[in-house]
């Protein structure tokens, strides 16, 4: 039997070019090829720490919406709670990593692309934003990092050993399974969503992809 094509599958096919632009960005390629500029990596590290701090209240809002809005028994809350727990660990990791690279987190000023991305996250927190729309953003944000960093760990990659741990953080298999769970949540929601919500959710996915590309550009020193 042919499996049914999901909404996310349709979107990823339709927006493949933009999606690949986010997951195969020159910044990621430079890690994978082993010619990353370490100052670009440090820029990314400091800016991403700020992003992750802003990501926490957004994820908490998705958790709240899952509790209020999804059918019981699908386990959405548990999956998202796992994401919150991972973020707690991630923040400690950023602090440790920043110390290792001599990056002073307290003095980092968010750059324009980061500010805009954080503002976008804030715009998705309010109760007027549907669970489905917010969940699509959440799934996309996590999955882009998963795919990007997993790419740096493939057998033929030349990722510098000192960056392997960073790539492992998002590129590991269990983070991949978590992203798949998010995708299932999203597809289940989209299956029963109105056309209006589906349209909004697709537009939100495109905005996430654009923000991710801008974020990599910023880290790469191309803004
Ligand atoms: C910019 C950005 N996108 C996605 C993630 C994944 O959590 C992250 N840490 N930073």
């Amino acid at each position: 039997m042919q499996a049914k094509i999901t909404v996310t599958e349709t979107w990823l096919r339709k927006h493949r070019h933009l999606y690949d632009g986010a997951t195969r960005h020159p910044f990621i390629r430079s890690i994978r090829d082993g010619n990353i500029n370490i100052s670009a990596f440090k820029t990314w590290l400091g800016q991403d720490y700020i992003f992750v701090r802003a990501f926490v209240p957004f994820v908490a809002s998705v958790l709240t919406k899952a509790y209020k809005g999804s059918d019981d028994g699908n386990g959405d809350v548990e999956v998202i709670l796992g994401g919150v727990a991972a973020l707690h660990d991630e923040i400690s990791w950023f602090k440790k990593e920043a110390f290792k690279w001599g990056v002073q987190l307290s003095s980092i000023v968010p750059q324009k692309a980061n500010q805009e991305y954080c503002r976008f996250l804030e715009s998705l927190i309010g109760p007027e934003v549907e669970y489905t729309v917010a969940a699509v953003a959440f799934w996309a944000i996590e999955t882009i990092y998963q795919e990007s960093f997993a790419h740096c760990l493939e057998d033929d990659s030349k990722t510098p050993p000192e960056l392997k741990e960073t790539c492992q953080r998002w590129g590991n298999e269990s983070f991949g399974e978590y992203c798949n769970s998010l995708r299932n949540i999203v597809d289940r929601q989209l299956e029963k969503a109105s056309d209006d919500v589906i349209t909004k959710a697709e537009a939100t996915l495109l905005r996430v992809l654009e923000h991710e590309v801008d974020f990599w550009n910023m880290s790469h020193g191309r803004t």
Side-chain angles (χ1 to χ4, degrees):
M1 196 184 84
Q2 182 96 28
K4 195 159 145 215
I5 295 175
T6 60
V7 177
T8 56
E9 182 62 38
T10 313
W11 287 349
L12 292 180
R13 287 182 193 180
K14 187 169 155 195
H15 305 298
R16 177 55 57 187
H17 187 72
L18 188 52
Y19 186 76
D20 288 351
T23 56
R24 299 286 186 266
H25 188 275
F27 179 80
I28 283 298
R29 286 190 196 279
S30 75
I31 294 177
R32 192 187 197 278
D33 297 343
N35 49 31
I36 172 98
N37 180 336
I38 282 306
S39 90
F41 177 76
K42 289 185 186 181
T43 299
W44 168 80
L45 188 74
Q47 293 294 320
D48 211 46
Y49 171 71
I50 292 177
F51 175 84
V52 168
R53 296 209 70 109
F55 194 45
V56 171
F58 165 69
V59 178
S61 79
V62 181
L63 183 76
T64 304
K65 285 168 187 168
Y67 173 70
K68 291 187 175 169
S70 76
D71 304 328
D72 272 23
N74 284 328
D76 292 21
V77 168
E78 268 98 315
V79 172
I80 300 161
L81 185 59
V84 174
L87 282 173
H88 182 256
D89 190 52
E90 211 163 290
I91 285 175
S92 312
W93 177 83
F94 270 104
K95 289 180 180 165
K96 185 189 76 165
E97 197 68 10
F99 179 77
K100 189 168 113 189
W101 291 97
V103 173
Q104 192 80 46
L105 290 178
S106 57
S107 60
I108 305 263
V109 178
Q111 292 185 28
K112 186 164 165 283
N114 199 2
Q115 279 173 14
E116 287 173 357
Y117 203 176
C118 292
R119 214 175 298 137
F120 170 71
L121 288 181
E122 277 172 33
S123 78
L124 295 173
I125 289 179
E128 73 287 358
V129 178
E130 295 85 356
Y131 174 47
T132 306
V133 173
V136 163
F138 184 37
W139 157 67
I141 291 168
E142 296 287 51
T143 301
I144 290 162
Y145 260 44
Q146 205 282 326
E147 281 218 21
S148 299
F149 285 111
H151 189 48
C152 301
L153 296 170
E154 286 163 4
D155 285 343
D156 55 341
S157 67
K158 301 189 193 71
T159 298
E162 64 274 23
L163 300 188
K164 285 250 166 87
E165 192 187 306
T166 299
C167 300
Q168 275 293 343
R169 172 149 282 281
W170 291 277
N172 75 76
E173 232 171 85
S174 93
F175 197 79
E177 283 163 20
Y178 157 69
C179 289
N180 269 332
S181 304
L182 292 179
R183 185 169 175 173
N184 291 334
I185 286 175
V186 162
D187 276 315
R188 203 181 316 111
Q189 285 295 124
L190 287 165
E191 219 32 66
K192 57 179 187 192
S194 68
D195 288 347
D196 174 54
V197 167
I198 293 175
T199 303
K200 270 196 256 178
E202 185 174 8
T204 302
L205 168 64
L206 295 183
R207 298 282 307 280
V208 168
L209 294 174
E210 287 161 4
H211 280 298
E212 288 288 336
V213 170
D214 289 347
F215 200 94
W216 294 132
N217 282 340
M218 169 193 75
S219 305
H220 214 41
R222 294 188 172 194
T223 44

